[in-house]
Amino acid sequence: MLFRKKRQWDVECDVLVVGSGAAGLTAALAAHEAGAQVALIEKSDKIGGASAVSGGVLWVPNNHHMGELGISDSREEAVCYATRLADGRGDNELIETFVDKSPEMLRFVEGETGLNFTSLARYPDYHPEFEGGKVGGRSLDPGLFDSNDLGEWKSKLRRSPIFGMTALTVTEATEWGVFAKPLNLPFKLLGERLSKGFVCYGGALVGQLLKALLQRAIAPLMSFRARELIIEDGRVIGVRGEQGGAERSIRARKAVILTSGGFEWDRSLNSQFLSGQLTHPNSPPCNEGDGLRMAMVVGAALGNMTEAWWCPSLMIPGEEYDGKQLNRADFATRSLPHSIIVNRNGNRFVNEAQNYNDVMKPFFAFDSASYERPNLPAWLIVDANHILKYGLLTVMPGKAVPSFVARGETVGELASVIGVNAVRLEATVRNFNRFAVEGVDPEFHRGESLYDRFYGDPDQKPNANLGAIEKAPFYAVEVHAGSIGTKGGVRVNKNGEAIRADGAVIRGLYAAGNVMAGPFGAGYPGAGSTIGIAMTFGFLAGRKAASDA
Amino acid sequence: MPEVSYTTTLRIPHDQVWGFVKDMNNWAPFLTGYQAHEILSETDSLWTLKGDVGILSRTVKLKARVTEWSGPDKVTFTLEGLNEDVEGGGVVTMGPYHASTVPLAPPLTIASWFRRLIAALFRKRSTKAGGTLQREATRPPQSQLTFTLRMEAGGPTGPIVNALLGPALLPATEQLANKIAAHLHAIELRP
């Protein structure tokens, strides 16, 4: 076009990053260090996205901290393990890229930020018994972070509704046996840390990454919602969006990197794509698939769209986060003794102690004869011994159980309260109690995996995950289908560049994090897989984008 | 135990402040996170609030008991959590303005939109009356209203909850005091 109208831009940069989770912050850092002028926009008024509310752990196979602890690992083991978990639906090239590049990303991040990760030697992969799986070491703890280091940005750091209520490292949580022995926690120390401004888990990870950006004079543009990718001559050259009610546009001379998170809070996208009915997501409500929609409009190929990083959700009615009902991710309750999960017929249907991704899959089982999902609704059943030892939700051990928790003086009475077949539930409990005495669960193999036992009670014999449900009163809470983020999205190549259905690169467009098609398919290799892969592809995308012409 | 205190000044006599404050129905909606309240007796009331500790919010049910009713100067009360392990209490004091004890507040603490609305509605009359609004806005303070509030979470997790509760108390106390002041000033400004 000879007489192209000159565009008016509100901001101009080389590389524009959309989203401020771990993927986005890492991408911005990598692009800056590669010489690019970087801008970063965040839709909400808080920094960190789903990463900030997470455990903040990175899963990085063959990382240098494992070597420091004398734990062996190899490329071959990691690829073998992750490929098996992908269940034939992953992207093998990207799995290999991740395994090859994630240790480099780790060294880069540690070199450019205040982060110094600790290898969690006792935190097993989610299937450590599979070939290539490890009993510990691949998951990395970001430690604590003094949020006062952020200055005026301290209040903009997103806080986790779960982990933000305390200030302990993942290493400490492991050593102190937080889940099975909650009263072992040094509450006074944790209160003092909170008062001083220390944050942990995802808050620590995001805080350190944000600090590194601020030190480089990259101040995120807050409450900026991207709506549209701007294309010129077949290349993405910027983003149009809104901030404070006004339309704004940003020019990206080299590239736009989408790191805007998943679509778990968008009911329409959920129902179109996901294999299960995601009703109670655990991430911040701002994850509505904005980046995915923008990429679809410009012709990006999609992948892994049926999958999410599934997680069971428990609710305390009236508890809110960002103005929406808070759905509490349940990582441990169901693994502890004196508990089972049953379906509406009163039957167990899963190894309750499995990792949070895999435990969800049978929830969505479909009965083709009745066209029903027999495992929904599902209920977590516990007895008074469970309450006495472990508490429930935010109820500490031995404390009064609130009235929103269903209660019965007998198992049969509880069944009638929650609308479950009483005869079946009584039979299920009788069977389970026999398994608990024998220490073996022949139906679902609960407690056989090292992973199960990691979240069990080491004092419970003979099986750390099995304890009879026998002491009245009996309690039930509904277990909902949750997710810490979807993992389907924009397909990318090994540089993080978005591609079309024919494999051609969409020039000027990259993706990382949960807006990107997850290479792991259905699998969840270990704690920190979400963030490990997000930061790795953020790192690759940022570095490559900075070098674009 | 997290405890905060906040004083605001009012440009109306303190017996008028008492006239408003003594009926909790008048100011209940000004409480941060207010959902509902129920008066049980002359001393006891039930309150439902959406308690926000900066990260998440929860519905908290509290029982308030007035332990000292010394109008027009002072009301003392206790608070007991019915669905959460919290307890506390506070004191509301009203009295003539003392410059030595409290700094002068800005001319008007009414929200700007509200102030503009009132000004627009009564501009004509106030002009005829010789600029009543202007005069009211610069009228010296006559009384002061102080809220002292303390809340403490119990149980083993108390130290953690208190660490989050502490920073949330002062904004809530400031909001209550300032909203009462703004409301009374707005009424007073009506010609």
Side-chain angles (χ1 to χ4, degrees), chain A residues 331-342:
Chain A
F331 298 114
T333 311
R334 60 201 156 73
S335 303
L336 293 165
H338 315 292
S339 73
I340 53 172
I341 292 176
V342 298

Side-chain angles (χ1 to χ4, degrees), chain B residues 8-129:
Chain B
T8 190
T9 56
L10 298 98
R11 291 170 173 78
I12 53 177
H14 104 267
D15 57 339
Q16 274 183 254
V17 179
W18 168 248
F20 181 79
V21 170
K22 70 181 180 184
D23 182 354
M24 60 180 68
N25 292 315
N26 285 336
W27 49 264
F30 297 161
L31 276 167
T32 301
Y34 172 80
Q35 304 288 302
H37 77 285
E38 180 185 356
I39 297 172
L40 301 177
S41 68
E42 282 192 356
T43 57
D44 291 1
S45 53
L46 293 179
W47 295 81
T48 304
L49 305 174
K50 190 169 279 186
D52 191 336
V53 292
I55 301 176
L56 54 79
S57 66
R58 268 198 195 178
T59 302
V60 182
K61 294 181 188 297
L62 296 166
K63 183 173 185 179
R65 169 164 291 170
V66 174
T67 54
E68 182 185 352
W69 190 260
S70 305
D73 303 317
K74 183 179 179 184
V75 179
T76 306
F77 60 94
T78 60
L79 295 168
E80 175 193 357
L82 300 179
N83 65 336
E84 299 284 352
D85 191 358
V86 293
E87 62 173 21
V91 185
V92 186
T93 55
M94 292 141 285
Y97 171 69
H98 293 294
S100 59
T101 58
V102 57
L104 187 60
L108 273 178
T109 52
I110 309 170
S112 59
W113 67 268
F114 192 47
R115 191 172 58 222
R116 285 198 303 273
L117 177 66
I118 289 176
L121 287 173
F122 298 105
R123 184 173 294 127
K124 198 171 179 181
R125 288 187 65 177
S126 64
T127 304
K128 282 182 179 173

Side-chain angles (χ1 to χ4, degrees), chain A residues 181-199:
Chain A
K181 311 285 179 205
L183 292 176
N184 278 1
L185 283 170
F187 294 104
K188 187 166 180 289
L189 170 68
L190 299 179
E192 288 170 359
R193 285 181 181 173
L194 268 182
S195 296
K196 289 176 182 171
F198 283 97
V199 294

Side-chain angles (χ1 to χ4, degrees), chain A residues 381-384 401-403 405-418 425 469-477:
Chain A
I381 310 288
V382 304
D383 75 347
V401 177
S403 58
V405 177
R407 172 186 168 132
E409 290 306 311
T410 65
V411 170
E413 184 181 308
L414 180 66
S416 67
V417 171
I418 60 176
L425 183 60
I469 298 169
E470 57 189 359
K471 185 174 181 181
F474 303 91
Y475 300 96
V477 288

